[in-house]
Amino acid sequence: GAFVRRNVSYRSQVKNHLWDPNASIIPPPLMKKPMEGKNKYKQLVKQIDMDEADTKNPIQLAMYKAMLEGALKPHPFLQRIIDKIRIDLGAGLGKGYMVLHARVEPDMARENERICRHVRVMNMTEILDMIYKQYPEPPVTTVLIVLSRALMEDEEGRKGKDKEKDYFHVMNHHNLQALNDILEHGMWDGKVKVVEAGSQMVHESGNDFYRYYSNIAGSIVNFFLAIQSNILVGTEISTFSTLAMNSRIYRGHRENYFYRPQGLYCMSPSDTNVTKPHRFVC
């Protein structure tokens, strides 16, 4: 939905200021609902994974590669927001930025407690320690944290007599404290600034369509920030992380890590001639 129509020209300049409530979103978003574009993408990934893509579906594989190498693009209105954030993160200057997709929100912990335990990490401190072990010295200028603070704060404020005995509530409290600590003090002894991503900037853009779909549009912004980062750290039990990792591999970005209980796992194959996407099944 937030992906553009193929037959529309992008040469016309949008004259409105980014935060102007009357800012243009020409060309109009594809389809009526933003999730439709993402669903089409996910269907293609699954179809390729279920077949021998390089021999049985060479055309479909070529389509997939073309999508991940550059054809998959955000709407120009969202691209302007992405460009502004990347500048703020220091893209192109110094060491660039890292994106950490820390999927430690309480919904993931509770709803998927019994799923994929051998690769799940729900403790924020453990994830940060893995990053420090992999990179003893600061590898970037800024770290962008992608998660839902709202879900964590809702759990923190939840009422209930036995919540202090609830493991997930206690873990969420710990993770929220760890998050707030690095946001305030940074990482690598304060040498690297840490900032949060999310839908807030999309919501503040002033456009009624994207304000209404700010959560989904914000995820799209985060997705392309992750694709263009210098380093991406995420979890393979997340569709977001997996899609971003696959996109980066086909675009030649090699520093891609899944965090696992054993530590960071580099999921970029040594062979650059990738024929099939990573699709996690446990």
Side-chain angles (χ1 to χ4, degrees):
F3 301 105
V4 298
R5 299 180 190 274
R6 182 182 299 175
N7 60 347
V8 179
S9 172
Y10 306 101
R11 294 183 179 178
S12 59
Q13 297 295 319
V14 179
K15 297 181 179 180
N16 304 80
H17 189 274
L18 182 60
W19 310 128
D20 188 336
N22 298 315
S24 171
I25 57 167
I26 296 174
L30 178 64
M31 305 177 189
K32 295 182 179 180
K33 297 180 180 179
M35 289 301 292
E36 291 185 57
K38 180 180 178 181
N39 289 339
K40 291 285 187 182
Y41 175 78
K42 290 171 64 177
Q43 290 170 8
L44 179 59
V45 174
K46 183 176 181 180
Q47 289 169 2
I48 294 174
D49 184 73
M50 298 302 291
D51 296 310
E52 297 178 9
D54 53 340
T55 57
K56 292 185 178 180
N57 296 301
I59 296 178
Q60 196 173 47
L61 178 61
M63 289 172 55
Y64 180 81
K65 287 185 176 180
M67 288 172 64
L68 299 193
E69 288 173 352
L72 183 66
K73 296 181 179 179
H75 190 280
F77 184 82
L78 295 181
Q79 184 64 59
R80 295 169 66 194
I81 296 178
I82 294 168
D83 292 342
K84 183 181 187 305
I85 296 176
R86 292 190 72 243
I87 291 173
D88 293 341
L89 293 174
L93 300 175
K95 299 178 180 178
Y97 67 97
M98 171 193 294
V99 168
L100 168 59
H101 182 219
R103 192 64 172 92
V104 297
E105 298 92 338
D107 66 316
M108 172 66 82
R110 280 199 171 88
E111 296 176 11
N112 301 296
E113 177 189 8
R114 299 181 180 180
I115 300 176
C116 310
R117 285 189 172 185
H118 62 293
V119 293
R120 286 167 56 88
V121 182
M122 298 305 301
N123 188 312
M124 187 73 173
T125 302
E126 292 179 0
I127 297 172
L128 295 175
D129 287 343
M130 293 178 197
I131 295 175
Y132 291 137
K133 184 177 181 179
Q134 180 69 29
Y135 296 101
E137 296 297 325
V140 292
T141 302
T142 311
V143 172
L144 179 68
I145 303 284
V146 177
L147 49 65
S148 176
R149 170 179 285 274
L151 289 175
M152 300 177 73
E153 291 184 340
D154 285 348
E155 176 64 30
E156 179 72 6
R158 180 172 62 86
K159 297 180 180 179
K161 295 181 180 179
D162 298 326
K163 66 180 184 179
E164 299 306 325
K165 299 179 182 179
D166 182 351
Y167 170 80
F168 301 110
H169 180 83
V170 174
M171 179 58 69
N172 180 75
H173 176 75
H174 169 81
N175 289 337
L176 193 56
Q177 284 189 322
L179 171 63
N180 290 335
D181 181 70
I182 59 175
L183 287 172
E184 181 178 357
H185 300 107
M187 295 177 64
W188 286 276
D189 296 324
K191 298 176 183 178
V192 174
K193 181 181 179 181
V194 180
V195 297
E196 286 183 270
S199 59
Q200 188 64 28
M201 197 166 187
V202 178
H203 184 78
E204 293 174 352
S205 66
N207 183 273
D208 289 339
F209 177 86
Y210 285 118
R211 182 187 291 121
Y212 183 80
Y213 290 112
S214 60
N215 286 333
I216 297 174
S219 296
I220 294 172
V221 168
N222 293 340
F223 178 75
F224 283 96
L225 288 172
I227 288 177
Q228 299 176 67
S229 64
N230 297 75
I231 303 171
L232 176 59
V233 178
T235 172
E236 58 201 292
I237 60 176
S238 162
T239 302
F240 178 97
S241 288
T242 302
L243 291 178
M245 296 280 186
N246 285 333
S247 298
R248 288 172 57 81
I249 287 176
Y250 282 101
R251 297 181 186 209
H253 303 308
R254 315 305 297 175
E255 292 198 68
N256 308 301
Y257 297 91
F258 285 137
Y259 54 78
R260 294 176 173 176
Q262 301 81 9
L264 292 189
Y265 168 74
C266 183
M267 62 81 61
S268 300
S270 56
D271 181 7
T272 57
N273 185 27
V274 182
T275 59
K276 295 185 72 173
H278 176 90
R279 181 168 175 263
F280 179 73
V281 179
C282 66

